[in-house]
């Protein structure tokens, strides 16, 4: 339940294209991000959560876990911030699917069990 989520609100995970997504984001994902935020001790910004089917990125990537509400991108403004967040994710086994973008300063995390696990990739 969202009542147990301490650091995030459903609004932070809404589609940036249309604002929809209430009830579409998977609670498992949010719970893991909430735990990451607790461990990190600083705010975590969600740069992309749910993506509706008409979102431009969803159109170009129709198998994206964002469409299923099982993925989020979080801001990592510096290499140090990225390192600390990744270190916490790995130490506490929070996510098994992680994408890293140095160019756009985000870390993609997802809980999509329909896709290969134990992966880290670069955008």
């Amino acid at each position: 339940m969202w009542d147990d989520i301490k650091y995030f609100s459903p609004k932070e995970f809404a589609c940036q294209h249309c604002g929809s997504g209430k009830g579409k984001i998977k609670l498992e994902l949010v719970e893991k991000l909430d735990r990451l935020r607790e461990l990190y001790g600083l705010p975590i910004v969600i740069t992309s959560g749910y993506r509706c089917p008409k979102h431009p990125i969803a159109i170009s990537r129709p198998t994206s876990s964002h469409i299923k509400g099982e993925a989020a991108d979080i801001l990592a403004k510096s290499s140090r911030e990225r390192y600390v967040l990744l270190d916490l994710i790995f130490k506490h086994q929070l996510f098994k699917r992680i994408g890293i973008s140095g160019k756009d300063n985000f870390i993609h995390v997802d809980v999509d069990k329909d896709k290969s696990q134990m992966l880290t990739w670069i955008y």
Side-chain angles (χ1 to χ4, degrees), residues 2 9 23 42 44 60-61 66 68-69 77 97 111:
W2 276 95
S9 70
L42 295 168
I44 291 177
S60 67
R61 294 183 182 158
H66 287 271
K68 296 165 61 176
K77 293 179 280 191
R97 295 180 42 80
V111 293

Side-chain angles (χ1 to χ4, degrees), residues 1-6 8 10 26-28 30-31 34:
M1 295 279 310
W2 276 95
D3 295 341
D4 298 327
I5 302 301
K6 185 173 178 181
F8 297 100
K26 298 289 194 264
L27 194 56
E28 177 189 2
V30 180
E31 289 169 340
D34 210 49

Side-chain angles (χ1 to χ4, degrees), residues 78-95:
S78 68
S79 57
R80 176 73 177 150
E81 186 174 345
R82 186 171 37 255
Y83 175 88
V84 172
L85 287 165
L86 289 168
D87 187 49
L88 290 169
I89 289 168
F90 287 121
K91 276 185 183 173
H92 297 276
Q93 300 176 16
L94 294 173
F95 296 99

Side-chain angles (χ1 to χ4, degrees), residues 8-26:
F8 297 100
S9 70
K11 183 172 84 171
E12 293 176 86
F13 295 90
C15 178
Q16 294 171 343
H17 173 71
C18 68
S20 72
K22 187 171 183 172
K24 302 260 185 184
I25 204 78
K26 298 289 194 264

Side-chain angles (χ1 to χ4, degrees), residues 10 12-16 21 24-30 32-33 46-52 57 61 63-74 95 97-99 106-113 115 121 123:
E12 293 176 86
F13 295 90
C15 178
Q16 294 171 343
K24 302 260 185 184
I25 204 78
K26 298 289 194 264
L27 194 56
E28 177 189 2
L29 173 71
V30 180
K32 288 175 180 280
L33 285 166
I46 305 299
T47 60
S48 183
Y50 172 72
R51 292 183 188 147
C52 75
I57 297 175
R61 294 183 182 158
T63 61
S64 169
S65 301
H66 287 271
I67 299 168
K68 296 165 61 176
E70 295 181 349
D73 297 339
I74 59 176
F95 296 99
R97 295 180 42 80
I98 302 156
F106 71 84
I107 299 170
H108 167 99
V109 293
D110 74 55
V111 293
D112 192 338
K113 293 182 179 47
K115 295 183 176 177
W121 64 91
Y123 291 96

